[in-house]
Amino acid sequence: MIEKDLDKYSKLFSLYTELRFQENKNTRIVFLNGNLIANEKNTAGGVSARVCKNDAWGFASNPQRSEEAVKSVIKTATENSTFLNLRLKRPKTALPCVSFSSENSHATTKSRKSQKEYVDFVKEIDSHIAGKYKDLKSRTVIMSTLDMEKSLITADGSRSYSMIPRTILVIVLSSEKDSKPVELYEVYGGPGQFEDVFDGNPQSHIFSEIEKLHGHLMKKSEGVFPDAGNRECILDADLAGILAHEAIGHTTEADLVRGGSVATNFMNKEAASPLITLIDFANSSFGKPCPVPIYIDDEGTRSQDTVIIEKGVLKSYLHNKETARHFKTAPTGNARAYQFSDEPIIRMRNTAILPGTSKLDDMIASIKDGYYLMKTGNGQADSTSEFMFGITLGYEIKDGKLGRAIKDTTISGIAFEVLKTVSMVSNEMKWSCGGMCGKKQLIPVGMGGPAIKCRVNIGGK
Amino acid sequence: MRETAEFCLDSLARAGAEKSQAVYVKSRKHELNVETGKISLLRTSFSTNIRLTAIKDSRRGTVNLNLTDKTSIEEASKNALEITRASAQDSAYDISQKQPQAEFDNNIEKPALDTMYEKLDSFLSEAKRLYPYIMFENLIVDFSRRTEYLLNSNGVDFKSSGGIYNFVALFTAKDGKKTSSFNYSGVSLKNLDGKFLSRGSINTLLQQSSGQLDPKGINGKFTGDIIVTPDCLNDFLSFITDQSIGDGAIIAGTSVYKDKIDKKIASSKFTLHSKPVSDEIADGYHVTPDGFKAENQTIVDKGVLKTFLLGLYGSRKTGLKRAPNSGGCYIVDPGDTAFDDMVKSVKKGILLARVSGGEPNNNGDFSAVAKNSYYIENGEIKYPISETMISGNIQKMFMDIKDISKERVDFGNVIFPWILFPGLTVSGK
């Protein structure tokens, strides 16, 4: 466990300073066609300090966690800030002062399993797939865990300790059609350590999910190219979640707003259909913990839910202390760092569209000729909110009924325009728990939503 | 550092390893950051990492730690053996055989921090003067010095050290309510000679983004020629190098190139090298992660696939030849057509400068949105485009290459030309 009480170090602060201890522990086990190709345990931790004078920031990190290392990082970060301050010659400024204390651990209270038990668990799933699904060309089963433990003290009086774990299982199935590979994958698991995520979920539950995945793969191997063009589609929860995160969420990160993002044109204006409310949840939603619960950010600001779009109107950006001061508002607790050696930057936490009132069956029934798009392989978006998501699983909708599966394709559009075309929102909400967002640093994020009916460009023939 | 690396091997042996490998890396990075157009942060990070691999009874386990004291190493060694015992048996697990001891160093020791600051400050001033609509969302100049010891129980003993500067910029053009797509580029450098603006493709892309505030959509669909720029080429090349000829795809048998050694997989105009130990590459490497001295290699020679990128495990698993390096540091040979003549030869097509798209499927089928790109008609670049999708098959693209440019861009870690691929589907709204 990392050092929790950092009070004794505050006397070393001479300027605005954040001091953080952090350790990330992860495990990675990979079976490829029954071969164990990765069996790893990794630990990376250390101490870092960030110092600011007149918006000249200095940062330093060290993997050692001794008192000497703490003194060294505070000294180097202070020197770095001074180096810039002397050259930049900016007027005197101060950051908003926040003070909050928080201690939250999501570590399991059950006895921990051994690496062998983890490997056996993954191997049993692999063997089950090999034994039952003889029509597969290839299979990959990956289990990865991440325990992120942090303690923080800031010059303005915030103190925190957190241990936020996540356990993910990824299953990739591949078949062959006309000598060409057809692939599909799914992510299972979520917040918590292995013992809490999978102990209560017997493998029979995972096996039933694999059965569904295999069924989709077989249909996909007979899949057809979509008819390319601007089409009426239902984006299932995975797609709605990634749309919320990639195409809207990023454009409202205040550092990207200052960097020219298109969201600046929509503040307090219509940005989506009135059916759309989009929130970046801090730590819980609908009475349950979110996939990545954040109680306090790495600048010491209390993390609070941020309503980005309310009934179609853009209401807020996501802030750290510096952008909050620039936009004359309060920081929202979105400054997060991935490794001990990373400085906090503005990141989303758990971004989701809120559920509506429609039933999925009625939404499908309402479409004469379109697509039901279920799974995405990845997604990217632009400062203009133009987005592209790979579609790995989807079905035709013909006369209100699901038809043939479609081959891998891509959807694209301008998110602020696509969201204006939303005409139905389902009443069921699902979280996707395996998200890893990249923006200078990686960071775990949650994405979620209901199914939404909208018009979007789909690739194909 | 050597004593620590040797202690790692001893510790693994005492814990019961039959074969072992220890990689100990120490690095220091100095990084200047620009946010929203202003220099904002100076970051110094000191890092250490030890990677311990143990093999016993044909079982293998790996532990990474970033503490370097003896107690932590001994504990991690025991942990590595516990993981090893949990592993499945596989006779393909092994470590590299003994090779002559060697040390490598590019002798770039320390950052010129004041020069880094001054060059960055000058770059920002010049970019603001030349390209007033450009906004830098993020811009980083860093210097890293890294030393690595790789030792194994067969007597392998390599030390490699090196320093490198990196420049990476992410930017958008904005004028009032008009916003361009973001674009980015970067370059690795052995020194800070010259201007950042003139390195890699930075100046070209800033100029292009400034003119991309009013992109137009394309109506309908056509089949045309695509000129892929050096910045964009790796999005297509990685289908071959990363997705199809490495350990994963060859072991799984899912690669479309699995039976293509010494067979044609591209036009005879196309030659691809991987040169990690060449003077042409600023940011190369000397030792592979599995403990071999790296050598340069030609992967595709005049269209013919000469090697897979198999590591030691992949090679032993498949019975195929191990590659002499672990990929990267790619150099594509230039062609004999000037870029301007290449554009003149296009009747209808796209100059593709960036794509936003998912990984192609294992067969090479892809569709992606063209970003920061241009419509070409009758041999002229007409206008920047938006909401335009490109689709095709990457296997076929490389077989059908029509032209490769004389000019190339040196990014420091790869050197790429412009390539003209015919017959791709372009669809607008």
Side-chain angles (χ1 to χ4, degrees), chain A residues 333-351:
Chain A
N334 284 81
R336 301 172 61 201
Y338 179 48
Q339 296 275 7
F340 77 95
S341 52
D342 290 328
E343 77 281 14
I345 54 177
I346 298 175
R347 310 307 298 261
M348 282 169 267
R349 300 153 311 185
N350 304 278
T351 317

Side-chain angles (χ1 to χ4, degrees), chain B residues 217-277:
Chain B
I218 287 174
N219 286 323
K221 196 172 1 179
F222 68 88
T223 301
D225 291 349
I226 306 294
I227 299 176
V228 174
T229 67
D231 274 282
C232 189
L233 186 60
N234 201 52
D235 286 302
F236 297 94
L237 195 58
S238 62
F239 170 71
I240 299 175
T241 54
D242 298 357
Q243 204 175 325
S244 303
I245 63 170
D247 277 10
I250 299 298
I251 293 172
T254 51
S255 169
V256 290
Y257 300 122
K258 62 187 174 194
D259 305 315
K260 298 286 186 186
I261 289 288
D262 288 328
K263 292 184 180 156
K264 227 167 154 42
I265 66 158
S267 152
S268 54
K269 293 173 195 253
F270 181 74
T271 293
L272 169 69
H273 312 277
S274 169
K275 292 189 173 180
V277 293

Side-chain angles (χ1 to χ4, degrees), chain A residues 155-196:
Chain A
D156 46 2
S158 286
R159 290 167 179 79
S160 74
Y161 169 80
S162 64
M163 211 300 266
I164 308 296
R166 182 163 96 158
T167 304
I168 302 293
L169 185 72
V170 181
I171 296 179
V172 188
L173 303 181
S174 181
S175 68
E176 212 169 55
K177 175 72 177 172
D178 300 330
S179 302
K180 291 177 184 173
V182 183
E183 192 173 276
L184 193 57
Y185 77 93
E186 183 58 287
V187 181
Y188 310 95
Q193 290 182 304
F194 176 86
E195 292 73 11
D196 291 334

Side-chain angles (χ1 to χ4, degrees), chain A residues 113-169:
Chain A
K113 302 223 181 257
S114 68
Q115 182 87 3
K116 180 166 189 332
E117 287 170 296
Y118 292 170
V119 172
D120 288 346
F121 172 82
V122 182
K123 191 177 178 181
E124 189 181 339
I125 294 169
D126 177 76
S127 302
H128 168 78
I129 298 169
K132 184 161 184 187
Y133 304 106
K134 304 286 185 195
D135 46 6
L136 293 177
K137 179 74 184 165
S138 165
R139 63 189 190 278
T140 308
V141 186
I142 303 164
M143 191 178 86
S144 61
T145 68
L146 172 63
D147 296 349
M148 198 182 266
E149 190 183 14
K150 293 178 177 180
S151 56
L152 173 79
I153 185 165
T154 68
D156 46 2
S158 286
R159 290 167 179 79
S160 74
Y161 169 80
S162 64
M163 211 300 266
I164 308 296
R166 182 163 96 158
T167 304
I168 302 293
L169 185 72

Side-chain angles (χ1 to χ4, degrees), chain A residues 76, chain B residues 26-30 44-47 143-146:
Chain A
T76 307
Chain B
K26 202 182 237 188
S27 64
R28 195 174 183 92
K29 180 186 267 192
H30 302 265
T44 307
S45 57
F46 170 60
S47 62
F143 173 83
S144 297
R145 166 85 185 170
R146 181 180 188 276

Side-chain angles (χ1 to χ4, degrees), chain A residues 35-36 39-43 45 57 59-60 63 80 87 90 258 341 378 380 382 386 388 410 440, chain B residues 31 33 39-40 42-44 46 51 64 66 83 93 114 135 177 181-182 317 356 358 362 367 371:
Chain A
N35 302 303
L36 181 63
N39 179 20
E40 291 189 18
K41 247 184 178 176
N42 306 313
T43 306
W57 290 89
F59 181 91
N80 285 350
R87 284 159 181 79
R90 288 185 183 142
R258 292 184 70 187
S341 52
N378 61 349
Q380 294 165 9
D382 206 331
E386 185 175 7
M388 180 299 309
T410 303
K440 190 179 181 196
Chain B
E31 183 184 279
N33 283 249
I39 297 174
S40 60
L42 173 57
R43 179 169 169 265
T44 307
F46 170 60
R51 183 174 174 83
N64 283 282
N66 72 344
I83 291 173
Y93 295 142
D114 281 312
M135 299 178 79
K177 291 194 170 184
S181 289
F182 71 77
K317 194 75 197 167
S356 174
N362 288 337
S367 55
K371 313 290 284 188

